[in-house]
Amino acid sequence: MTAPNQSVFSAQSSADRDLGKGSSAKRNVKIGLALGAGAARGWAHIGVLRELLANGLYPDVIAGTSMGAVVGGCYAAGKLDQIEVFARSLTRRRVFTLMDLSFTGGSLIAGERLKAALERELSGFLIEQLETPFAAIATEVGTGHEVWLQRGSLSLAIRASYALPGIFEPVRVADRWLFDGALVNPVPVTVCRALGADFVIAVNVTADMMYRAGVIRDAAADMSKSGTSGKPYDQRADASLIERILPKYFDRRSDEAPNVGSAMIDAFNIIQDRILRSRLAGDPPDAIITAHMEDVGMFDFHRAEKIIEIGHLAATRALPNIFSYLPISHQAR
């Protein structure tokens, strides 16, 4: 675990920015992929990765924040297929089964079911032993320090990176309590450069965020049906409890005033947007993939099929620009 100061961030040289432009000379180029935060919109990273890989663009290093850490970490562990199967299997009801309410006072959602789901796939994976160098970005509670998780349990690092303040409980890593890295570095371009990347591709899935959170509704009768289909991650849920409690925290009232959960998420998104603009202006990526999804909410995890396709199309649009700068040697990898 590393908590870098701004001074240690590697600056991009002019030679890096002109890398491969106007030249067919073969060079060894280390590609970095910076996967940004975005809650449910982060499923788009799966589509982006699929399209990049299909065109011979294999990331040499990956840095991810929040959902970017989830997808990036699974890819680095060779579990991209598994996370995609999981994402596509989610229904409205299954999303609710993963939202176990917390009664400790530290958050609205305990996150134990999500933790168990991650552990089933990533148990035993250590970040330093991954074939593809990886870092998950988190924020230290109290100090606001940016923390780069580059060693230790992969599943623990991922949980720390997506622990949205007030929604999920903070995660203890060594002697630090950590939560969502989007508060300090929503799209971690700087981390990819520090890991040695020559050419950084950033993926932004919140460019058109409307700062509105939604709650997924299902009729209580439908949600009370048996949830034991035998598929991975499936759990039983107390539908009546969910129907009574979750809307009170996440839904907007009839007068459109925000409730506790939606107010926190709206505030978080506004802050994240401002930080993202500042970070990208200070150290812009060499190429950026922007996934536009105006009608996708932060908690639309059950719409993975559409979100993944949006990511695929966004990467397809960006490929000509990427290949106009990358050397031939990496295109043919």
Side-chain angles (χ1 to χ4, degrees):
M1 182 173 64
T2 305
N5 296 317
Q6 186 70 28
S7 60
V8 305
F9 291 157
S10 57
Q12 185 185 29
S13 69
S14 59
D16 289 333
R17 297 191 186 279
D18 293 333
L19 188 59
K21 187 175 182 180
S23 171
S24 60
K26 292 187 178 182
R27 305 178 189 176
N28 291 322
V29 178
K30 183 178 285 189
I31 293 179
L33 188 61
L35 301 179
R41 290 175 162 216
W43 291 141
H45 295 312
I46 297 173
V48 168
L49 270 164
R50 293 293 189 195
E51 183 63 15
L52 293 181
L53 297 175
N55 284 273
L57 292 169
Y58 295 84
D60 298 292
V61 301
I62 296 179
T65 298
S66 198
M67 274 297 288
V70 175
V71 177
C74 286
Y75 170 78
K79 296 284 186 176
L80 185 60
D81 289 345
Q82 287 84 343
I83 191 66
E84 182 170 357
V85 168
F86 170 59
R88 292 182 183 275
S89 75
L90 291 176
T91 62
R92 289 180 175 88
R93 178 174 55 81
R94 286 187 188 142
V95 172
F96 271 129
T97 67
L98 292 170
M99 291 185 180
D100 49 334
L101 297 173
S102 172
F103 299 98
T104 66
S107 66
L108 298 180
I109 299 171
E112 288 301 315
R113 291 173 182 166
L114 286 171
K115 174 184 176 181
L118 278 172
E119 285 295 333
R120 275 194 288 271
E121 291 295 339
L122 302 178
S123 177
F125 281 89
L126 299 177
I127 298 175
E128 62 269 29
Q129 295 177 359
L130 298 176
E131 184 175 346
T132 302
F134 170 75
I137 316 309
T139 305
E140 185 176 19
V141 177
T143 66
H145 290 161
E146 179 178 344
V147 179
W148 300 356
L149 297 164
Q150 299 174 260
R151 297 189 300 275
S153 167
L154 176 60
S155 62
L156 183 65
I158 289 173
R159 288 196 298 115
S161 187
Y162 72 60
L164 188 68
I167 305 299
F168 291 104
E169 294 181 353
V171 175
R172 189 179 181 90
V173 179
D175 60 344
R176 290 188 171 106
W177 285 99
L178 306 176
F179 50 35
D180 203 308
L183 282 169
V184 288
N185 202 346
V187 181
V189 173
T190 49
V191 184
C192 283
R193 297 209 192 283
L195 291 176
D198 303 303
F199 188 94
V200 178
I201 302 171
V203 185
N204 181 11
V205 297
T206 63
D208 46 24
M209 183 68 76
M210 298 305 293
Y211 309 123
R212 283 189 175 268
V215 64
I216 303 167
R217 288 187 175 276
D218 257 347
D222 293 336
M223 293 181 61
S224 62
K225 295 178 181 178
S226 174
T228 55
S229 64
K231 295 183 178 181
Y233 315 110
D234 207 11
Q235 303 279 346
R236 289 183 181 273
D238 184 338
S240 61
L241 182 66
I242 290 169
E243 281 292 302
R244 289 198 310 270
I245 296 180
L246 282 184
K248 292 181 181 180
Y249 288 119
F250 291 100
D251 207 5
R252 289 176 183 270
R253 303 189 326 224
S254 58
D255 61 358
E256 288 300 305
N259 286 330
V260 176
S262 59
M264 287 191 297
I265 293 169
D266 281 3
F268 183 84
N269 284 332
I270 293 169
I271 293 169
Q272 176 183 315
D273 177 72
R274 300 303 187 269
I275 295 170
L276 175 59
R277 292 170 188 265
S278 175
R279 297 299 296 254
L280 291 184
D283 191 359
D286 299 283
I288 189 164
I289 297 173
T290 303
H292 295 285
M293 45 189 117
E294 295 89 343
D295 64 336
V296 176
M298 282 191 68
F299 284 95
D300 287 349
F301 290 99
H302 61 293
R303 300 175 67 190
E305 182 174 357
K306 175 178 180 177
I307 297 170
I308 291 171
E309 178 61 18
I310 291 172
H312 164 79
L313 294 174
T316 301
R317 289 193 302 268
L319 282 175
N321 179 60
I322 293 172
F323 281 133
S324 70
Y325 283 88
L326 276 178
I328 295 174
S329 59
H330 220 103
Q331 295 181 46
R333 178 176 174 177

